Each structure stands twice: as C-alpha cells, then as structure tokens.
Amino acid sequence: MDIATLLEGRSTSDVVSCAIGTSVREAVALLASKRIGAVPVMDGDRVAGIFSERDVIYRLAEESDACLSRPLGEVMTAPAITVERNSAILDALALMTRRRIRHLPVVDGETMCGFISIGDLVKARLDQIEHEAEAMRTYIQTA
C-alpha cells in the first residue's frame, strides 16, 4: 500500500497549516484548539518546515516566553522531511522511525498534497494486516 491510497478521500484544503510569518503564539493556540501535534509551515505552496510541540518545548527552554512573539520561520524545524505520494507506507514508517519524527508532509514535486502522522500509517498497516489475516482464514476454511 502506498501513501496515495492512504490520502484517497482527503482534501488538501483539510490540512491545517501555518504561514512562515505566523507567530509562535498563534501557532501554539492553533495546535491546542485543533488538538494536533504539528503543522506544516508554508511559504506559498512550498513546505518550508514543520512546527511541532517539540519545537515549542525546545524554544521555551532556550528563550523562555520571548519565543512566543517570533515568527515560525525562525523557530520551525527546517528543511521539512517529506515523503512522495507514491512512497510505500512501510518506507514512510521506517523514515519516521529513523528520523524520530511523527509527522510528514506528502509532496508532489514541491507542492504539498497531504500531511500524515505516524498514527495514520500505523492504522493503515494494521488494517492491511487484518485484511491479510482474514484472507488467510478464508483460504484455510475453504481448502
């Protein structure tokens, strides 16, 4: 299964994102109100970086609340680690594990076409395993 299959039925307009000039304070409020852990930071149609809960923690530890007025372009994790639409789910999971990240923008060239979390990938993988197990049970019962 690939990422494109996972994104079927999702609209890019549903992706919560922030502009590069958005303040940390505004982004934190957005993360809290949407109950999400990260947002892609956009520079036009291009993904410039990722802003996550970890970025907030690290900046607060370094700068105290002075960081809240800074724009995301100064505090985000950049460049963004991305995945292509045609990437396999297992490859995306391996990338997330290796890089110790939990969110990936999905790109088509340089244009973002989705945003996935490790939870999305784990659920898709579990669904696939359950489907394969059911097919095996059916095969055994009919053999």
Side-chain angles (χ1 to χ4, degrees), residues 14-18 26-40 51-54 56 102-103 115 117 120:
D14 293 337
V15 175
V16 177
S17 63
C18 288
E26 292 174 278
V28 167
L30 180 65
L31 292 176
S33 70
K34 298 289 186 180
R35 300 184 56 83
I36 55 178
V39 291
F51 181 73
S52 71
E53 299 160 323
R54 290 180 184 174
V56 176
R102 296 181 293 181
H103 301 86
F115 194 63
S117 71
D120 296 328

Side-chain angles (χ1 to χ4, degrees), residues 18-27 41-44 48 68-74 76:
C18 288
I20 202 165
T22 303
S23 73
V24 171
R25 178 176 276 109
E26 292 174 278
V41 180
M42 305 300 292
D43 187 5
L68 296 175
S69 300
R70 293 180 63 193
L72 293 182
E74 294 178 9
M76 66 186 178

Side-chain angles (χ1 to χ4, degrees), residues 66-139:
C67 71
L68 296 175
S69 300
R70 293 180 63 193
L72 293 182
E74 294 178 9
V75 301
M76 66 186 178
T77 300
I81 299 166
T82 62
V83 67
E84 295 282 333
R85 290 179 59 85
N86 62 352
S87 298
I89 286 179
L90 287 177
D91 292 341
L93 278 168
L95 175 64
M96 290 176 141
T97 301
R98 189 172 59 254
R99 298 300 300 266
R100 300 178 54 94
I101 57 176
R102 296 181 293 181
H103 301 86
L104 284 173
V106 180
V107 294
D108 188 5
E110 285 198 16
T111 304
M112 186 175 71
C113 56
F115 194 63
I116 56 174
S117 71
I118 198 162
D120 296 328
L121 298 176
V122 168
K123 181 184 181 312
R125 183 66 180 130
L126 290 174
D127 289 348
Q128 184 180 17
I129 290 168
E130 181 57 37
H131 177 73
E132 290 169 0
E134 183 58 35
M136 185 64 73
R137 282 190 288 274
T138 301
Y139 174 75

